[in-house]
Amino acid sequence: MSSRILIIDYGSQYTQLIARRVREARVYSEIHPPTRTAQWIRDWSPTGIILSGGPNSVYDAGAPTLDPAVLDIAPVLGVCYGMNLMVHVSGGDVTHAPEREYGRAEVTVAGGDPLFDGFDAGERFTAWMSHGDQVRALPAGFVPIARTTNAPIAAYRHQTRPLFGVQFHPEVAHTTRGTDIIANFLFRVCRADATWTSGAFIEEEVAKIRALVGDKRVICGLSGGVDSAVAATLVHRAIGDQLTCVFVDTGLLRLHEREQVERTFRAHLGIDLVTVDASRRFLDALAGVEDPEQKRKIIGHTFIDVFEDATEASARGAEFLVQGTLYPDVIESASPTGGPSVTIKTHHNVGGLKPEMKFKLIEPLRELFKDEVRNVGRELGLPEEMVGRHPFPGPGLAIRVLGAVTEDALAVLRRADAIYLEEIRAAGLYDEIWQAFAVLLPIRSVGVMGDFRTYENVVALRAVTSTDGMTADWFPFPHEALGRISNRIINEVRGVNRVAYDVSSKPPATIEWE
């Protein structure tokens, strides 16, 4: 069995980062809630266990806890709350810190410990702290191995058992040698194998799909986005002509998007593709609607109806439906606080199909993060223009037309957006940006073109940098590039006489405007 790391999620905002860092080291990891029993964990057979941080104090009533038996199953690394929890359940003392630590702190290493292999004794490095508690007294058998000015025990280990704790967050980029510490835990302590690769994943998943499907037929709803494209291509690698893909043209797509999807899947990959032009149906349903949430609901319901009509005509007895569910969607359904899971929008994954449609689901990407999906797509031979494309919302351009959605408004936005992305690519900036797009504002402004006064549309441009879309900052365009983009849009898109650039971050703003 390949190595795998179990991450127990105690509610930290950084838990997914831990999983990503482990996978970046080519070791498979999964996140699970603290309700997993010691027997479940023993049966899962982890190579190592990481206890995440969290917002609670270990001594609070009702705070999530840990069965001490887990500490005997595999090597354990506790991070922040996880570090304190290990001390708490082992008989040590955790209390309020005299001074809370949030942000950067200087950690001094004692030296001679496998968790800090490659560090010199007395070496100092910058780490990211986020805690209001600290370990006051270690349980028997534990010894300190690092300190900060405010935390005399910033890291510890057990003298004879593979148990380690760090008060800081090695998974965040602000911790300068965090990847070294995680690698030391994985390879020096757990003796894990670095075998988690895109090629290995594809080989294993193809075998699973073939065994599951047999000689049955499969249908997949393509959106034109990365997730559904990679999921469809992976399933096609496994079962070939047993797969039929349905692509719904909602009329809310970007310029030439339909042609790109048809070219890629039919000509390049040879996949059986059925295209349904439902643009009139969507535009009629959206007529006069300005509220963004109402737009989303209409688009979601209409998509389900169109997709169901299409599957009745083209499924040819299909028993399975492919969905591009990703690992973050799965994680959200296992909230460590027991709260309700986040609903995945129906227009993203056709999850709202009617009960009479008795498809069995195939979710080949449910173990992957977005960057891993992109790598799998590249390994499968999808073109970079599709694999590396920026995120695009399920409702399409409808939520980037602020106000009523009309054919004229869509045409203006579609052309402005295409010029924007074209200039970003020409400047070599596309891959530096997480997401870039144009928005058509529901206002008009006065302008002058030649000798004439104009009263026309305003386009806002948005470009952000991010790692996961949870937080984002506006992209600092060179002034020349912004000027060139603005000039082209105003000169080439009839009906636009003003361009603005959005310089708000997330939070407090969101990435999309609606």
Side-chain angles (χ1 to χ4, degrees):
M1 180 187 295
S2 298
S3 300
R4 52 186 187 171
I5 301 298
L6 174 66
I7 300 165
I8 301 181
D9 180 15
Y10 288 97
S12 170
Q13 61 182 313
Y14 303 129
T15 301
Q16 288 193 33
L17 266 182
I18 298 175
R20 293 170 67 89
R21 296 293 176 259
V22 173
R23 292 189 181 192
E24 285 167 4
R26 297 172 59 188
V27 179
Y28 181 68
S29 64
E30 281 189 19
I31 298 171
H32 286 270
T35 50
R36 297 300 190 196
T37 65
Q39 187 57 52
W40 185 95
I41 295 172
R42 195 174 289 110
D43 293 342
W44 199 78
S45 301
T47 308
I49 299 169
I50 299 177
L51 312 178
S52 85
N56 300 97
S57 292
V58 295
Y59 44 76
D60 287 344
T65 188
L66 176 75
D67 185 338
V70 172
L71 303 180
D72 295 321
I73 296 174
V76 179
L77 172 63
V79 176
C80 199
Y81 181 87
M83 165 183 171
N84 296 339
L85 185 58
M86 206 185 320
V87 168
H88 184 65
V89 302
S90 300
D93 186 20
V94 178
T95 186
H96 279 299
E99 293 186 38
R100 298 183 302 173
E101 284 187 301
Y102 293 98
R104 291 177 175 84
E106 191 173 73
V107 177
T108 303
V109 176
D113 180 82
L115 193 65
F116 294 112
D117 185 46
F119 291 69
D120 296 329
E123 181 175 336
R124 298 178 179 180
F125 67 93
T126 300
W128 188 258
M129 291 284 194
S130 181
H131 68 98
D133 294 333
Q134 68 175 211
V135 175
R136 183 164 62 183
L138 287 168
F142 288 80
V143 294
I145 56 176
R147 68 180 190 278
T148 70
T149 302
N150 295 322
I153 306 174
Y156 62 70
R157 68 174 175 87
H158 194 278
Q159 290 176 300
T160 59
R161 301 161 67 192
L163 306 176
F164 300 82
V166 292
Q167 189 69 74
F168 54 88
H169 290 272
E171 68 273 21
V172 305
H174 304 298
T175 299
T176 54
R177 297 198 63 180
T179 53
D180 295 332
I181 295 166
I182 291 173
N184 282 337
F185 177 70
L186 297 176
F187 303 118
R188 291 276 284 109
V189 177
C190 300
R191 303 294 180 184
D193 298 319
T195 56
W196 175 249
T197 64
S198 297
F201 169 81
I202 291 170
E203 185 177 333
E204 182 178 339
E205 200 61 32
V206 162
K208 284 183 187 176
I209 294 167
R210 285 175 179 162
L212 175 66
V213 172
D215 60 356
K216 305 297 190 301
R217 295 201 59 82
V218 179
I219 196 161
C220 176
L222 280 179
S223 68
V226 176
D227 304 337
S228 67
V230 175
T233 307
L234 180 56
V235 172
H236 185 257
R237 170 73 64 90
I239 61 171
D241 292 343
Q242 292 169 244
L243 172 70
T244 297
C245 290
V246 175
F247 176 64
V248 177
D249 183 352
T250 63
L252 308 171
L253 304 174
R254 288 186 285 200
L255 191 66
H256 305 314
E257 192 160 15
R258 172 175 168 174
E259 293 85 346
Q260 181 198 39
V261 170
E262 291 179 329
R263 182 175 64 252
T264 299
F265 283 86
R266 284 189 183 138
H268 184 69
L269 298 173
I271 292 177
D272 180 22
L273 176 66
V274 175
T275 299
V276 179
D277 187 346
S279 53
R280 188 72 266 155
R281 190 166 171 179
F282 278 88
L283 285 171
D284 288 346
L286 288 167
V289 177
E290 297 188 6
D291 177 72
E293 193 52 38
Q294 189 64 20
K295 288 180 187 177
R296 290 177 183 274
K297 289 178 180 177
I298 289 170
I299 293 166
H301 294 156
T302 305
F303 181 87
I304 292 168
D305 291 341
V306 171
F307 186 81
E308 289 178 348
D309 291 346
T311 56
E312 288 178 11
S314 59
R316 299 199 299 260
E319 295 186 17
F320 294 89
L321 173 69
V322 180
Q323 287 190 174
T325 308
L326 302 191
Y327 194 42
D329 302 327
V330 178
I331 294 168
E332 291 290 353
S333 69
S335 167
T337 60
S341 62
V342 173
T343 301
I344 304 167
K345 294 183 179 66
T346 53
H347 49 263
H348 282 178
N349 67 358
V350 297
L353 297 176
K354 294 187 176 79
E356 59 266 25
M357 298 190 73
K358 301 296 184 182
F359 289 122
K360 301 169 190 172
L361 286 183
I362 298 176
E363 298 173 301
L365 309 179
R366 63 181 283 113
E367 296 177 348
L368 303 184
F369 289 104
K370 190 76 170 190
D371 54 334
E372 294 170 327
V373 171
R374 295 186 196 278
N375 289 336
V376 167
R378 293 182 181 102
E379 187 86 15
L380 289 168
L382 280 168
E384 188 62 31
E385 64 178 358
M386 179 166 284
V387 174
R389 67 176 293 184
H390 293 172
F392 187 62
L397 297 181
I399 60 166
R400 293 177 180 172
V401 173
L402 308 195
V405 180
T406 65
E407 287 190 72
D408 288 345
L410 288 168
V412 169
L413 178 58
R414 193 173 282 122
R415 183 63 185 136
D417 188 72
I419 291 171
Y420 184 29
L421 296 180
E422 183 182 313
E423 285 295 329
I424 290 173
R425 290 184 185 279
L429 300 173
Y430 189 85
D431 293 334
E432 295 182 28
I433 298 170
W434 164 266
Q435 192 172 6
F437 55 90
V439 179
L440 185 64
L441 303 188
I443 57 174
R444 291 177 180 267
S445 71
V446 175
V448 177
M449 290 187 174
D451 295 324
F452 296 95
R453 178 181 183 274
T454 63
Y455 190 61
E456 294 180 330
N457 296 292
V458 180
V459 167
L461 305 178
R462 181 78 158 136
V464 298
T465 57
S466 181
T467 55
D468 53 14
M470 300 299 292
T471 61
D473 202 0
W474 58 277
F475 181 73
F477 270 113
H479 291 178
E480 308 78 35
L482 266 183
R484 189 163 53 250
I485 293 165
S486 175
N487 285 340
R488 279 200 61 193
I489 290 174
I490 291 172
N491 287 330
E492 298 178 32
V493 182
R494 186 176 296 277
V496 176
N497 67 0
R498 193 177 298 270
V499 172
Y501 184 56
D502 181 350
V503 293
S504 48
S505 61
K506 176 187 178 182
T510 55
I511 295 178
E512 295 285 348
W513 279 47
E514 286 197 347

